[in-house]
């Protein structure tokens, strides 16, 4: 199955184009045994299922794309606007304590001001939003996740600081209070597991709790909070607010794009982070597989499956390299055997960059996209892709006179490959997907460091 995200907004009818995900519902993490809200975003009609305040702009600004598992909800805040999406889903009955979890990836994100991301709330009327705090007779509260302007509040270039944007009874001003998480800086382009906890106060007391975790590490905790007055016993955790909103009154000057996936709300305990793959557990290459996935560079072969022992195809290598290198679209189509293939676009990109060559020299008019890639072929493509200098030593004893010997030596000198064992490289052996992940991670890290 291809590793390529094929631009999928038509999920209901083209699930197979998103790597044949198989089952349409992601298995729950054990910590979410009895969720009160659950939204995996596997159905293009997700917004028709118990979500309220779904506006035409919410539908226009969102589509199903490659998610953390299967598909996820891609959201755009278009330039000149503020709202990306903002529907609410309400549990029944309304609890006083709940935990939420979702996976988040800021894809192309250059926010010039702060804004709001999904979180829990108790919005009953016009208060707890829009700089209108709770007042007697019109109670309410909210604790949405906060994003700051890109590269501010201790975040570097390509980073964003997160926190909570909270309407509560002791807030210092009329607008929500901004409470930064520590550490709470995330990298644009990377998947994160966002977890939160709200325990409402006993009515009239200041014993509420607000907590947050990033990738399982607690980054925020505040006790002694008050969300409701003594007479407001009816106020509870009324909804999960799927909010992506820029600024307060100003509009974003440029498009902002993110993906959210695997929303779960539970009243039992903290909801654990989901696993992108369940068939790589215990693999020596598991860390590399999951790190590349977290960077948005590597996808699976099926729903929560990576197929670590399956061989990598030449088209899949093209897809990976195209993502890592962010290659532009090509204007030429040099190969005859990839017409209509899912990888045709990335193959053409690699060829235009001088990285991909044909499988039938000297003609080189065929790419053999579904053929297993050999270790030698991968060495050649990586050497070209990263413009690796020649190796000064003959690293392996089984590639003497091989057409790719120079490329193999360059890859070894760069510290990307250590061979297949016993001083050998096994140049003509097909490459399993788990080993490929380790090689690609080393190459990507080396490129980032140079």
């Amino acid at each position: 199955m291809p590793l390529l995200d094929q631009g999928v907004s038509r999920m209901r009818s083209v699930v197979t184009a998103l790597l044949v995900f198989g089952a349409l519902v992601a298995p729950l993490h054990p910590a979410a045994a009895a969720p009160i809200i659950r939204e995996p975003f596997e159905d293009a009609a997700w917004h028709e299922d118990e979500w309220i305040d779904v506006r035409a702009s919410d539908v226009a600004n969102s589509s199903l794309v490659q998610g953390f598992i299967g598909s996820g909800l891609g959201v755009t805040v278009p330039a000149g606007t503020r709202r990306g999406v903002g529907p609410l889903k309400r549990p029944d009955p309304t609890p006083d304590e709940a935990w939420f979890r979702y996976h988040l990836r800021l894809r192309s994100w250059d926010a010039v001001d702060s804004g709001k991301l999904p979180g829990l709330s108790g919005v009953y009327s016009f208060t707890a939003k829009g700089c209108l705090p709770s007042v007697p007779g019109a109670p309410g509260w909210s604790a949405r996740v906060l994003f700051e302007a890109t590269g501010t509040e201790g975040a570097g270039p390509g980073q964003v600081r997160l926190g909570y944007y909270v309407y509560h009874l002791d807030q210092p001003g009329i607008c929500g209070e901004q409470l930064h998480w520590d550490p709470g800086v995330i990298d644009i382009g990377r998947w994160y597991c966002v977890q939160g906890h709200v325990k409402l106060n006993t009515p009239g007391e200041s014993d509420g709790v607000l907590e947050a975790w990033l990738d399982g590490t607690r980054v925020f905790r505040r006790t002694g909070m008050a969300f409701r007055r003594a007479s407001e016993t009816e106020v509870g955790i009324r909804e999960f607010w799927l909010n992506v909103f820029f600024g307060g009154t100003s509009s974003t000057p440029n498009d902002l794009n993110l993906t959210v996936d695997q929303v779960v709300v539970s009243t039992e305990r903290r909801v654990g982070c989901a696993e992108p793959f369940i068939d790589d557990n215990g693999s020596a290459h598991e860390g590399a597989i999951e790190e590349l996935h977290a960077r948005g560079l590597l996808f699976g072969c099926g729903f929560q499956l990576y197929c670590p022992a399956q061989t990598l195809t030449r088209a899949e290598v093209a897809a990976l390299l195209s993502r890592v290198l962010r290659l532009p679209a090509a204007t030429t189509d040099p190969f005859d055997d990839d017409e209509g293939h899912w990888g045709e676009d990335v193959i053409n990109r690699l060829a235009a960059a001088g990285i991909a060559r044909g499988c039938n020299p000297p003609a080189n008019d065929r790419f053999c996209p579904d053929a297993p890639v050999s270790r030698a072929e991968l060495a050649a493509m990586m050497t070209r892709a990263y413009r690796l200098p020649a190796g000064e030593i003959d690293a392996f004893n089984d590639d003497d006179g091989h057409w790719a010997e120079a490329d193999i030596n360059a890859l070894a000198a760069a510290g990307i490959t250590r061979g297949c064992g016993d001083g050998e490289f096994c140049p003509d052996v097909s490459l399993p997907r788990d080993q490929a992940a380790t090689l690609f991670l080393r190459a990507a890290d080396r490129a980032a460091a140079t």
Side-chain angles (χ1 to χ4, degrees):
M1 291 298 116
L3 292 168
L4 175 70
D5 174 0
Q6 301 185 43
V8 284
S9 60
R10 310 176 305 278
M11 278 301 301
R12 184 185 289 176
S13 60
V14 291
V15 174
T16 52
L18 269 175
L19 314 180
V20 191
F21 290 132
L24 291 180
V25 178
L28 282 174
H29 190 280
I36 57 173
I37 292 175
R38 182 166 178 250
E39 181 55 73
F41 298 112
E42 295 299 332
D43 188 340
W46 64 271
H47 49 81
E48 299 174 7
D49 181 22
E50 300 178 352
W51 289 92
I52 62 173
D53 192 25
V54 179
R55 305 180 188 180
S57 62
D58 296 340
V59 178
N61 294 344
S62 63
S63 62
L64 296 191
V65 298
Q66 178 70 45
F68 185 78
I69 298 174
S71 65
L73 186 69
V75 178
T76 297
V77 185
T81 70
R82 291 177 289 158
R83 177 171 170 138
V85 295
L88 308 127
K89 183 174 269 196
R90 290 176 175 160
D92 185 21
T94 301
D96 290 335
E97 182 175 23
W99 289 259
F100 70 86
R101 188 280 319 275
Y102 57 85
H103 288 264
L104 173 72
R105 182 176 178 235
L106 305 180
R107 288 183 285 133
S108 56
W109 194 268
D110 185 15
V112 300
D113 199 355
S114 61
K116 297 90 177 177
L117 298 172
L120 297 172
S121 62
V123 178
Y124 290 83
S125 59
F126 59 89
T127 63
K129 56 184 178 180
C131 291
L132 296 170
S134 171
V135 294
W141 66 275
S142 61
R144 288 168 286 176
V145 173
L146 163 78
F147 65 83
E148 290 287 5
T150 302
T152 67
E153 299 294 342
Q159 294 183 320
V160 174
R161 177 168 289 282
L162 300 184
Y164 271 126
Y165 186 73
V166 190
Y167 281 87
H168 61 108
L169 299 184
D170 299 322
Q171 65 190 58
I174 61 171
C175 297
E177 183 176 8
Q178 296 185 351
L179 303 173
H180 291 152
W181 297 349
D182 184 21
V185 173
I186 65 172
D187 295 332
I188 295 170
R190 185 181 183 88
W191 278 108
Y192 289 89
C193 175
V194 179
Q195 301 160 291
H197 171 218
V198 175
K199 181 180 180 181
L200 295 185
N201 59 299
T202 304
E205 303 293 331
S206 294
D207 57 2
V209 178
L210 183 62
E211 294 181 285
W213 296 260
L214 270 176
D215 288 343
T217 298
R218 185 156 67 188
V219 292
F220 182 84
R221 176 176 169 82
R222 177 177 285 193
T223 60
M225 300 196 70
F227 298 98
R228 52 189 180 178
R229 300 172 180 87
S231 62
E232 296 169 353
T233 56
E234 78 284 0
V235 172
I237 298 173
R238 197 181 188 212
E239 56 265 316
F240 177 82
W241 195 347
L242 184 63
N243 198 209
V244 179
F245 196 89
F246 171 83
T249 58
S250 61
S251 300
T252 176
N254 50 278
D255 286 359
L256 302 174
N257 299 283
L258 62 76
T259 304
V260 62
D261 196 10
Q262 301 300 316
V263 171
V264 177
V265 179
S266 173
T267 57
E268 291 189 351
R269 54 194 176 274
R270 182 157 61 104
V271 184
C273 300
E275 283 190 276
F277 308 116
I278 59 176
D279 62 346
D280 65 344
N281 296 338
S283 168
H285 304 278
E286 181 179 7
I289 293 168
E290 306 219 344
E291 175 61 21
L292 285 176
H293 176 271
R295 297 182 190 184
L297 299 175
L298 178 149
F299 310 143
C301 64
F303 195 85
Q304 278 194 297
L305 299 176
Y306 182 68
C307 302
Q310 182 175 302
T311 55
L312 199 67
T313 69
R314 288 169 56 87
E316 288 171 340
V317 170
L320 270 166
L321 284 173
S322 181
R323 273 187 228 115
V324 172
L325 300 174
R326 302 178 184 272
L327 295 177
T331 58
T332 56
D333 185 6
F335 303 115
D336 298 334
D337 62 342
D338 62 352
E339 299 299 324
H341 192 278
W342 66 264
E344 182 178 8
D345 175 66
V346 291
I347 292 167
N348 290 341
R349 290 175 189 237
L350 251 67
I355 299 168
R357 297 175 184 171
C359 61
N360 61 328
N364 284 324
D365 57 1
R366 300 178 65 248
F367 187 74
C368 305
D370 296 317
V373 70
S374 71
R375 292 169 60 87
E377 289 172 332
L378 182 64
M381 282 193 270
M382 279 192 163
T383 299
R384 297 180 205 125
Y386 294 103
R387 299 177 182 177
L388 300 178
E392 296 181 359
I393 61 172
D394 186 4
F396 305 105
N397 56 34
D398 64 339
D399 63 349
D400 293 342
H402 194 281
W403 65 266
E405 182 178 7
D407 297 313
I408 294 167
N409 288 338
L411 211 65
I416 296 172
T417 184
R418 297 165 190 164
C420 61
D422 297 326
E424 297 186 342
F425 184 74
C426 306
D428 297 316
V429 173
S430 300
L431 189 70
R433 290 162 58 94
D434 57 354
Q435 294 179 24
T438 294
L439 294 177
F440 272 96
L441 182 60
R442 289 179 191 152
D445 285 348
R446 182 189 182 279
T450 56

